[in-house]
């Protein structure tokens, strides 16, 4: 900016006129107005201007402006001439009125421009330290003068940035720009030879990201620094199309994968072949201690001394003819006619991305579950097993109402209804959840319904559950109807849920969820529109689930807990398909039979449960005496 | 030559920007003279490879600095834009998001200083990339990534440094660790690449009709939700890292780059995008890590191994020793039938339960239906 040569008043105003002409073609939002004319010079010449015109012009009435202004806008000039012509023809009295009416909008435009200018000058005075301490507002000229001095001081402070005469002078010195860039992007430039993966160039900023210095890395093989499992991935990216005849490219306009025409000549590779991939690179925690690690053989053997960070690398393949190779190249270089390189920018992959910080707190006594809108579990965190005793497979497909204590059903149903209709997190009160052993744990949950942004319907409910207190002593012992294998394991045997609260309650509990889901889908249907078929599965599921839940009492006496949940899972699975009603009845009849697969299933489940309970009781397996206590089922 | 045409307010605008920038740079680390490539070359190469431009924004949204190549992406030159406010150039619906990202976080929290978001910005470029009439500006989607540069002395000097890139999706070489998929607008799969089988274990037919939300870890729902919203509103998006469940149990970290395109039927050999066809989402997913097992499986497996070792020890169990000793006393050294059966049981149990335990909880529910 300092280098703009200032012309005399006439050339400057001519320039201004041309600028205004250009600006006529620009939309209003782009131009910055400001045609205060008498001082139409760049800032560093403002000092030489008289004070008078600036001050005076702001107070002058608009009528006198056309006469005193130089560098008038052409269109306004012509307009004014026309106006004056017209005016000269009209009556004397109307002259004044008409001029005033016409000039009104101009006055407004002028006022706006002046205000903008004043605002800018105020901002400038706020930025310049010399202008700060004054009590009263400084006049414009002084502000501009101080600004010039400040800029000169800044330029002197900068380290010879504008020395390059051949390059276009930029606003920011190059070093600063690089510094900003690398700070913003958290990345480094990497140039790698394709045939041997030798690092030809790497920028300084790598030291900030990987903690290796530039010198340590240049000339090394890239594969030494990449995670072993990613080496194959990166090798692929190096390959040119001659070696890999079937390149898969994505064509965004059609969404298809397009086969690149093979063979592609190397010259085409130079410009077009884009690469984008993720890889993991080593980074050491301590700067510059890379060589030090070799001196400690014990430490270097461990793989844990290196940590990896994920980088996103984007760039191009480039080819250089052999004439431009650096003289250090070995004999092999002369053999290859051209040098293929991958030039990329590697950026640190952001860790924090789209995740709400601390929204979902999963600690040791917390677990997350996900269920469909009718309350059936579709995802259960593995940690849940330590709390509720059931393995995830046992619980999936079953309605959460089967596990709630009778007293809490009312409250939970209310919350269920609420969460389906609200977009916020719903906190439940403490409620009891039945574990596999028949005891109850007290939980408190936060429910949050997730709506598909496109269909605007609730897809599922996410529940973050926290344990308030451990299992109480309200054990409901019920041994009846256990499967064959579990009969003998009296002490460790998990009790069958559902039986304890009675058969009648089972029906009610199972169908609560589906009724609530029913209500919701009714409101959807009532409100609108055929949305991508999301409503129909709900409809069919409800019908079948109602049928299923009625049939469960008959099954209770037969199988153990796992098989019950399994059968329910089966029926809900089959119900979820778009099969018609007769098929579901067929399923039900099938459920009445004792499917042999289920029983063996349940025995292993039970055995696994035994082992899990062993895990819980923290048996030390090195002690041999423990086997005595167990009564194995043979 | 541009500078001769600058009008006064523009000059002051640019001056302001310059001063702000200098203040910002002074406050921070000393600029060491770096050896190596000529900084000009390195900068321009960096920006060219990155395919984006640098933007420095104040906390109020003033574009304090833009790199030279902004004209390539927005059609407007550096001097025209510097000093203006970004809210004049971005889509009104994105303003809230921009404001959210411009907020300064407390200095001690280093992680939260990173910024990553997608905005729609005006572009005066025509379809062919030439600078067109300003009145016919279109919206361009930019992916902005960067960090906050705090100035402890005065918060008005603090700003956000961002690199802004348009999101290119086409003509990128896909590696074996990526797969493409197409979805309907509610994120249900309508087509999936064959590679998903080798990467995640699902067959493409299994995935059709399923929502992507079923496939991801529950804790990442919000991440995918944001991605989906971006797609619906801005037509392009980059998801962050999220976890996808693998068919055999466990999960992998992935990242998806997606865009909304006019729907095409993949079966046609020469498809022509038809504007009247419904929109669909094209997604390119990169696999970032190997399969991570759920931690309890590890514990369980470790336990099983312990159990195995203890089986070997079972031979020296005092209980068995008593029985064995009896046999020895009587001159017979046979293994007790109980031990045999017990070992057989344990081995069968281990085999079966390990195979079962690996199974994906989600697979137990609806996916296996198709297999059956």
């Amino acid at each position: 900016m300092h280098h703009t040569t200032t012309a005399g008043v006439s050339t400057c105003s001519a320039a201004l006129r041309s600028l205004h002409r250009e600006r006529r073609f620009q939309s209003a939002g782009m131009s910055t107005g400001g045609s205060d004319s008498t001082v139409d010079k760049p800032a560093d010449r403002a000092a030489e201007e008289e004070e008078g015109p600036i001050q005076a012009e702001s107070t002058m009435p608009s009528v006198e402006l056309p006469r005193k202004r130089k560098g008038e806008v052409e269109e306004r000039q012509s307009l004014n001439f026309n106006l004056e012509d017209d005016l000269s023809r009209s009556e004397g009295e109307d002259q004044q009125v008409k001029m005033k009416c016409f000039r009104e909008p101009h006055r407004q435009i002028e006022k706006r421009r002046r205000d903008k200018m004043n605002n800018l000058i105020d901002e400038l005075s706020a930025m310049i330290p010399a202008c700060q301490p004054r009590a009263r507002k400084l006049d414009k000229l002084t502000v501009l003068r101080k600004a010039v001095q400040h800029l000169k001081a800044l330029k002197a402070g900068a380290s010879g940035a504008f020395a390059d005469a051949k390059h276009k002078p930029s606003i920011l010195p190059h070093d600063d720009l690089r510094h900003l860039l690398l700070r913003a992007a958290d990345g480094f430039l990497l140039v790698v030879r394709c045939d041997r993966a030798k690092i030809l160039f790497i920028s300084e900023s790598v030291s900030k990201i990987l903690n290796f210095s530039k010198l340590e890395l240049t000339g090394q093989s890239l594969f030494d620094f990449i995670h072993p499992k990613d080496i194959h991935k990166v090798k692929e990216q190096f390959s040119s199309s001659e070696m890999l005849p079937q390149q898969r490219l994505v064509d965004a306009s059609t969404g298809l994968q397009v086969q690149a025409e093979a063979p592609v000549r190397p010259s085409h590779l130079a410009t077009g072949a884009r690469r984008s991939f993720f890889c993991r690179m080593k980074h050491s925690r301590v700067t510059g201690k890379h060589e030090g690690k070799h001196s400690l053989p014990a430490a270097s053997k461990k793989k844990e001394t290196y940590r990896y960070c994920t980088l996103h690398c984007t760039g191009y393949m480039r080819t250089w003819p052999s004439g431009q190779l650096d003289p250090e190249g070995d004999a092999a270089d002369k053999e290859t006619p051209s040098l293929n390189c991958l030039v990329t920018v590697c950026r640190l992959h952001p860790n924090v991305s789209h995740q709400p910080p601390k929204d979902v707190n999963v600690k040791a006594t917390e677990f997350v579950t996900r269920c469909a809108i009718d309350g059936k579990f579709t995802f259960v965190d593995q940690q849940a097993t330590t709390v509720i005793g059931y393995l995830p497979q046992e619980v999936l497909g079953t309605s959460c109402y089967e596990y709630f204590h009778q007293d809490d059903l009312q409250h939970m149903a209310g919350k269920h209804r609420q969460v389906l209709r609200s977009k916020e997190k719903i906190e439940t009160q403490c409620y009891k959840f039945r574990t596999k052993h028949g005891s109850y744990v007290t939980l408190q949950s936060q429910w949050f319904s997730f709506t598909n942004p496109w269909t605007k319907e609730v897809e599922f409910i996410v529940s973050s559950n926290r344990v308030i207190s451990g299992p109480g002593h309200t054990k409901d012992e019920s041994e009846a109807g256990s499967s064959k294998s579990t009969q003998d394991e009296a002490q460790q045997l998990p009790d069958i849920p559902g039986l304890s609260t009675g058969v009648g309650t089972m029906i009610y509990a199972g169908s609560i969820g589906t009724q609530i889901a029913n209500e919701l889908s009714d409101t959807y249907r009532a409100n609108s529109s055929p949305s991508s078929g999301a409503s129909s599965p709900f409809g069919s599921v409800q019908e079948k689930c109602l049928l299923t839940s009625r049939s469960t009492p008959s099954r209770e006496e037969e199988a153990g807990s796992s098989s019950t949940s399994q059968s329910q899972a089966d029926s809900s699975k089959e119900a979820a398909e778009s099969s018609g009603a007769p098929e579901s009845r067929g399923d039900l009849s099938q459920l009445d039979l004792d499917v042999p697969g289920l029983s063996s299933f349940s025995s292993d489940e039970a055995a696994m449960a035994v082992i899990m309970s062993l895990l819980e009781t923290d048996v030390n397996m090195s002690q041999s005496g423990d086997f005595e206590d167990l009564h194995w089922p043979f | 030559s541009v500078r001769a045409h600058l009008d006064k307010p523009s000059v002051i605008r640019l001056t302001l920007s310059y001063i702000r920038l200098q203040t910002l740079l002074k406050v921070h680390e000393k600029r060491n003279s770096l050896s190596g490539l000529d900084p000009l070359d390195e900068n321009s190469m960096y920006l060219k490879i990155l395919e984006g431009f640098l933007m420095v924004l104040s906390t109020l949204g003033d574009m304090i600095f833009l790199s030279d190549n902004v004209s390539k992406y927005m059609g407007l030159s550096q001097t025209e834009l510097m000093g203006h406010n970004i809210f004049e150039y971005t889509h009104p619906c994105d303003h809230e998001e921009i404001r959210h990202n411009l907020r300064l976080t407390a200095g001690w929290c280093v992680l939260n200083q990173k910024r990553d978001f997608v905005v729609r910005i005006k572009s005066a470029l025509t379809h062919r990339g030439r600078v067109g009439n300003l009145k016919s500006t279109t919206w361009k989607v930019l992916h902005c990534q960067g960090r906050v540069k705090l100035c402890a002395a005065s918060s008005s000097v603090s700003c956000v440094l961002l690199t802004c890139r348009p999101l290119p999706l086409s003509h990128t070489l896909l590696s074996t660790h990526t797969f493409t998929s197409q979805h309907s607008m509610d994120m249900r799969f309508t087509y999936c690449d064959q590679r998903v089988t080798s990467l995640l274990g699902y067959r493409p037919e299994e995935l059709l009709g399923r929502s992507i939300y079923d496939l991801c870890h529950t804790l990442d729902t919000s991440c995918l939700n944001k991605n989906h919203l971006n797609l619906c509103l801005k037509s392009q998006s980059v998801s962050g890292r999220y976890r996808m469940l693998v068919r055999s149990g466990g999960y992998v970290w992935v990242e998806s780059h997606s865009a909304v395109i006019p729907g095409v039927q993949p079966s046609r050999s020469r498809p022509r995008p038809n504007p009247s066809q419904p929109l669909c989402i094209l997604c390119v997913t990169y696999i970032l890590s190997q399969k991570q097992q759920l931690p309890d499986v590890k514990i369980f497996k470790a336990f099983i191994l312990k159990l195995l070792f203890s089986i070997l020890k079972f031979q020296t169990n005092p209980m068995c020793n008593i029985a064995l000793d009896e046999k020895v006393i009587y001159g017979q050294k046979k293994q007790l039938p109980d031990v045999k059966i017990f070992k057989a049981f344990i081995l069968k149990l281990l085999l079966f339960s390990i195979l079962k335990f690996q199974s994906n909880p989600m697979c137990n529910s609806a996916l296996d239906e198709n297999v059956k």
Side-chain angles (χ1 to χ4, degrees):
Chain A
M1 267 184 294
H2 318 293
H3 297 281
T4 53
T5 54
T6 57
V9 178
S10 53
T11 49
C12 194
S13 52
L16 195 68
R17 238 176 273 132
S18 59
L19 177 64
H20 286 310
R21 213 180 300 129
E22 280 174 21
R23 226 190 288 130
R24 225 185 289 157
F25 294 109
Q26 294 179 4
S27 62
M30 293 301 305
S31 67
T32 49
S35 56
D36 294 329
S37 57
T38 44
V39 195
D40 288 320
K41 293 192 181 76
D44 53 1
R45 288 274 281 203
E48 296 170 20
E49 231 24 65
E50 302 148 22
E51 281 189 55
I54 305 175
Q55 305 275 344
E57 116 192 301
S58 53
T59 53
M60 241 186 270
S62 53
V63 178
E64 295 174 19
L65 272 173
R67 264 183 285 134
K68 291 234 175 163
R69 276 172 169 261
K70 303 172 193 177
E72 176 78 19
V73 179
E74 249 195 2
E75 53 187 13
R76 211 191 297 151
Q77 266 179 349
S78 55
L79 246 155
N80 285 333
F81 290 139
N82 287 336
L83 188 63
E84 285 168 19
D85 286 340
D86 288 335
L87 288 174
S88 61
R89 287 184 219 126
S90 65
E91 308 291 347
E93 291 169 357
D94 290 341
Q95 238 184 26
Q96 285 271 332
V97 174
K98 271 194 182 174
M99 267 163 58
K100 273 194 184 158
C101 289
F102 199 79
R103 299 254 161 83
E104 202 63 34
H106 285 277
R107 200 185 293 153
Q108 302 245 336
I109 296 172
E110 278 307 305
K111 185 175 191 319
R112 239 183 286 136
R113 285 192 182 140
R114 264 179 282 127
D115 284 343
K116 196 161 194 171
M117 197 61 196
N118 291 338
N119 283 339
L120 281 173
I121 293 196
D122 284 342
E123 274 186 51
L124 197 58
S125 69
M127 287 298 303
I128 299 170
C131 302
Q132 299 278 355
R134 295 295 167 96
R136 58 187 177 87
K137 200 175 135 183
L138 288 172
D139 64 301
K140 291 187 210 174
L141 201 53
T142 321
V143 171
L144 290 173
R145 230 185 257 135
K146 301 267 185 211
V148 172
Q149 287 169 4
H150 187 65
L151 283 172
K152 284 187 179 160
L154 281 177
K155 182 186 160 190
S159 49
F162 298 104
D164 282 331
K166 57 179 171 120
H167 297 294
K168 184 180 109 178
S170 66
I171 290 179
L172 200 61
H174 304 304
D175 274 344
D176 288 337
L177 177 60
R178 173 165 62 182
H179 167 79
L180 277 184
L181 250 182
L182 299 175
R183 189 109 172 92
D186 259 353
F188 55 92
L189 204 57
L190 176 67
V191 181
V192 188
R193 269 184 75 154
C194 291
D195 46 356
R196 276 176 233 139
K198 185 170 141 188
I199 298 178
L200 291 176
F201 173 79
I202 197 163
S203 68
E204 277 287 335
S205 46
V206 68
S207 54
K208 279 208 186 106
I209 296 165
L210 297 182
N211 269 335
F212 293 122
S213 79
K214 174 183 155 136
L215 297 168
E216 287 176 61
L217 291 172
T218 316
Q220 304 286 327
S221 166
L222 183 66
F223 292 141
D224 290 341
F225 292 92
I226 291 188
H227 195 285
K229 297 264 168 84
D230 287 345
I231 288 180
H232 175 68
K233 201 198 277 190
V234 176
K235 258 194 193 153
E236 233 183 9
Q237 298 291 329
F238 286 160
S239 58
S240 61
S241 69
E242 291 142 7
M243 292 192 268
L244 199 70
Q246 294 189 337
Q247 276 187 355
R248 297 186 309 144
L249 301 174
V250 176
D251 187 358
S253 58
T254 57
L256 292 188
Q257 288 178 22
V258 171
Q259 301 290 350
E261 293 100 29
V264 180
R265 286 183 300 150
S267 58
H268 287 196
L269 272 183
T271 49
R274 196 174 163 271
R275 295 284 186 265
S276 171
F277 58 96
F278 291 87
C279 69
R280 281 165 292 178
M281 284 188 78
K282 274 182 201 165
H283 73 287
S284 67
R285 294 189 213 199
V286 187
T287 337
K289 285 270 176 82
H290 186 55
E291 293 92 16
K293 286 207 163 73
H294 292 303
S295 63
L296 301 166
S300 63
K301 274 178 194 161
K302 279 189 220 161
K303 280 187 187 169
E304 279 86 22
T305 52
Y306 285 119
R307 296 176 71 208
Y308 293 94
C309 56
T310 312
L311 296 174
H312 181 97
C313 306
T314 53
Y316 288 91
M317 299 289 289
R318 280 200 74 178
T319 314
W320 282 287
S322 59
Q324 289 182 11
L325 289 179
D326 56 343
E328 288 176 38
D330 22 72
D333 287 344
K334 288 174 194 150
E335 288 164 10
T336 58
S338 65
L339 180 65
N340 277 346
C341 288
L342 179 65
V343 185
T344 63
V345 163
C346 302
R347 311 180 56 174
L348 200 59
H349 203 221
N351 265 329
V352 193
S353 50
H354 301 302
Q355 279 184 3
K358 294 161 195 169
D359 256 0
V360 183
N361 255 334
V362 187
K363 291 178 198 156
T365 50
E366 291 188 17
F367 60 97
V368 177
T369 57
R370 182 168 71 191
C371 39
I373 62 170
D374 57 359
K376 292 206 190 320
F377 289 111
T378 56
F379 176 90
V380 175
D381 202 351
Q382 286 283 3
Q383 291 169 350
T385 310
T386 57
V387 177
I388 64 174
Y390 293 105
L391 291 165
Q393 295 95 308
E394 298 175 344
V395 154
L396 287 178
T398 59
S399 169
C400 56
Y401 287 97
E402 296 166 29
Y403 306 94
F404 297 151
H405 195 267
Q406 201 169 355
D407 305 334
D408 296 318
L409 284 175
Q410 185 84 3
H411 163 68
M412 299 305 278
K415 291 290 177 192
H416 186 183
R417 266 198 199 89
Q418 201 183 347
V419 76
L420 287 175
R421 280 159 183 74
S422 143
K423 290 209 174 183
E424 294 145 5
K425 288 199 199 298
I426 308 286
E427 283 253 356
T428 66
Q429 294 166 10
C430 298
Y431 62 95
K432 295 202 191 65
F433 194 97
R434 187 177 30 242
T435 68
K436 194 155 186 179
H437 309 284
S439 55
Y440 283 89
V441 288
T442 316
L443 302 176
Q444 197 213 356
S445 304
Q446 256 190 351
W447 283 359
F448 166 65
S449 69
F450 173 73
T451 318
N452 191 311
W454 186 255
T455 60
K456 308 277 191 296
E457 291 182 0
V458 180
E459 285 219 346
F460 49 81
I461 300 169
V462 177
S463 164
S464 165
N465 313 299
R466 201 159 40 101
V467 178
I468 304 291
S469 68
H473 297 289
T474 58
K475 263 202 174 186
D476 306 284
E477 311 246 336
S478 173
E479 303 269 321
S482 55
S483 64
K484 313 149 201 157
S485 57
T486 58
Q487 267 168 5
D488 301 321
E489 299 154 33
Q491 290 170 358
Q492 315 276 353
L493 184 66
D495 296 322
I496 304 126
L499 281 189
S500 48
T501 52
V503 164
T505 325
M506 256 330 276
I507 306 173
Y508 179 60
S511 61
I512 292 176
T514 55
Q515 276 172 16
I516 294 182
N518 250 340
E519 290 169 16
L520 187 71
S521 53
D522 283 343
T523 55
Y524 282 152
R525 265 188 241 126
N527 285 347
S528 67
S529 64
S531 56
S532 68
S535 51
S536 47
F538 289 132
S540 57
V541 159
Q542 281 143 31
E543 291 165 350
K544 282 144 204 165
C545 288
L546 285 171
L547 293 169
T548 310
S549 54
R550 265 180 235 126
S551 73
T552 46
S554 60
R555 292 281 301 143
E556 290 305 314
E557 289 95 39
E558 296 187 35
S561 59
S562 48
S563 50
T564 311
S565 59
Q566 200 57 36
S567 63
Q568 282 187 348
D570 280 337
S571 56
S572 63
K573 265 187 273 176
E574 281 156 49
E577 280 180 44
S578 51
S579 50
E583 222 178 290
S584 70
R585 276 183 222 113
D587 294 337
L588 292 176
S589 59
Q590 192 190 358
L591 286 174
D592 290 336
L593 306 170
D594 204 61
V595 184
L598 278 181
S599 59
S600 64
F601 206 78
S602 58
S603 71
D604 282 316
E605 291 276 31
M608 204 164 10
V610 169
I611 296 203
M612 288 305 292
S613 60
L614 284 177
L615 186 65
E616 283 167 28
T617 55
D618 203 13
V619 171
N620 189 354
M621 295 312 296
S622 59
Q623 287 174 14
S624 44
D626 295 320
F627 284 113
E628 289 182 276
D629 297 332
L630 299 173
H631 187 88
W632 293 99
F634 291 105
Chain B
S1 62
V2 177
R3 291 188 187 105
H5 292 297
L6 283 177
D7 62 339
K8 228 166 36 154
S10 297
V11 170
I12 298 191
R13 173 168 55 87
L14 291 170
T15 313
L16 270 171
S17 302
Y18 184 79
I19 293 177
R20 269 172 148 166
L21 206 53
Q22 291 297 325
T23 322
L24 190 72
L25 289 172
K26 262 192 190 158
V27 171
H28 288 271
E29 306 92 71
K30 59 171 170 68
R31 319 167 213 155
N32 35 3
S33 58
L34 305 167
S35 61
L37 269 190
D38 182 16
L40 175 65
D41 284 342
E42 187 175 325
N43 285 340
S44 60
M45 193 150 77
Y46 197 100
L47 284 172
K48 186 173 159 223
I49 295 172
L50 193 67
E51 294 172 336
F53 59 93
L54 179 70
M55 178 156 69
V56 180
L57 284 178
S58 76
T59 46
L60 291 173
D62 297 321
M63 295 187 281
I64 300 177
F65 179 74
L66 294 160
S67 56
D68 290 349
N69 55 349
V70 64
S71 48
K72 223 172 64 163
Y73 301 101
M74 279 177 69
L76 306 164
S77 77
Q78 185 189 33
T79 46
E80 277 175 331
L81 288 173
M82 257 178 66
H84 279 117
N85 197 292
I86 195 174
F87 292 118
E88 294 168 26
Y89 295 95
T90 50
H91 199 282
C93 297
D94 294 339
H95 287 179
E96 189 51 51
E97 190 175 354
I98 297 175
R99 263 186 221 109
H100 175 78
N101 277 296
L102 288 178
R103 272 180 337 172
L104 299 175
T105 54
W108 53 265
C109 188
V110 181
L111 282 180
N112 280 349
Q113 285 183 358
K114 298 216 176 164
R115 299 282 183 258
D116 191 323
F117 55 97
V118 175
V119 293
R120 283 164 288 185
I121 205 162
K122 281 187 195 166
S123 163
L125 295 173
T126 60
H127 192 59
R128 291 192 185 174
R130 301 209 184 133
V131 180
N133 198 345
L134 269 171
K135 288 188 181 162
S136 63
T137 53
T138 53
W139 294 111
K140 192 169 190 143
V141 181
L142 285 182
H143 181 213
C144 304
Q145 284 175 297
R147 57 175 354 130
V148 174
K149 205 166 163 89
L150 283 178
C151 172
S154 71
S155 64
S156 64
V157 180
S158 308
C159 61
V160 181
L161 306 175
L162 298 167
T163 53
C164 307
R165 319 163 48 212
L167 293 170
L169 205 56
S170 59
H171 298 288
T172 308
L173 176 69
L174 296 175
S175 75
T176 49
H177 285 73
T178 60
F179 67 93
T180 56
S181 52
Q182 279 187 13
H183 306 253
S184 54
M185 288 306 288
D186 61 355
M187 289 304 266
R188 283 177 196 271
F189 282 86
T190 54
Y191 164 75
C192 197
D193 192 1
Q194 287 295 331
R195 284 201 189 267
V196 70
T197 314
S198 54
L199 294 169
L200 294 178
Y202 303 109
R203 288 195 318 265
E205 306 83 66
E206 285 180 323
L207 293 175
L208 297 184
R210 293 196 63 82
S211 166
I212 201 172
Y213 295 104
D214 288 341
L215 280 187
C216 74
H217 200 279
T218 311
L219 294 174
D220 295 325
T221 307
S222 55
C223 165
L224 278 180
N225 189 22
K226 184 120 206 300
N227 189 42
H228 196 178
L229 275 170
N230 272 346
L231 278 173
C232 295
L233 297 173
K234 300 166 193 169
S235 86
Q236 277 187 301
S237 175
V238 174
S239 75
R241 288 195 275 195
Y242 64 98
R243 284 160 281 197
M244 258 198 168
L245 299 174
V246 177
R247 194 179 198 282
S248 57
Y251 54 85
V252 289
W253 286 96
V254 303
E255 171 164 310
S256 295
H257 294 201
S258 342
V260 175
I261 57 171
V264 188
Q265 290 187 14
S267 55
R268 289 201 212 146
S269 54
R270 286 199 124 208
R272 292 177 205 284
N274 190 350
S276 65
Q277 276 184 354
L279 300 169
C280 77
I281 294 173
L282 173 65
C283 216
V284 175
T285 309
Y286 297 85
I287 309 288
L288 301 177
S289 78
Q290 290 88 53
K291 186 175 108 164
Q292 319 262 340
Q293 269 185 335
L294 304 165
D296 285 337
V297 178
K298 276 194 205 156
I299 295 171
F300 181 68
K301 285 188 177 170
F303 173 79
I304 291 295
L305 284 173
K306 263 186 167 176
L307 194 54
L308 271 173
F309 283 125
S310 58
I311 287 171
L312 297 173
K313 276 183 131 184
F314 197 79
Q315 309 237 359
T316 58
N317 188 319
M319 178 180 86
C320 278
N321 275 341
I322 294 167
L324 278 174
D325 282 344
E326 285 176 1
K327 297 288 181 210
V328 167
I329 287 170
Y330 292 113
Q332 289 174 3
K333 196 175 176 205
K334 256 162 101 174
Q335 243 185 0
L336 290 174
D338 280 347
V339 178
K340 258 196 209 161
I341 293 169
F342 171 69
K343 281 190 192 170
F345 162 71
I346 286 289
L347 288 170
K348 178 184 153 204
L349 170 68
L350 288 176
L351 196 64
F352 199 82
S353 57
I354 283 175
L355 290 174
K356 261 201 57 60
F357 206 84
Q358 280 208 351
S359 54
N360 188 343
M362 191 188 72
C363 275
N364 276 340
S365 53
L367 275 189
D368 273 346
E369 274 308 290
N370 289 327
V371 174
K372 280 177 192 171

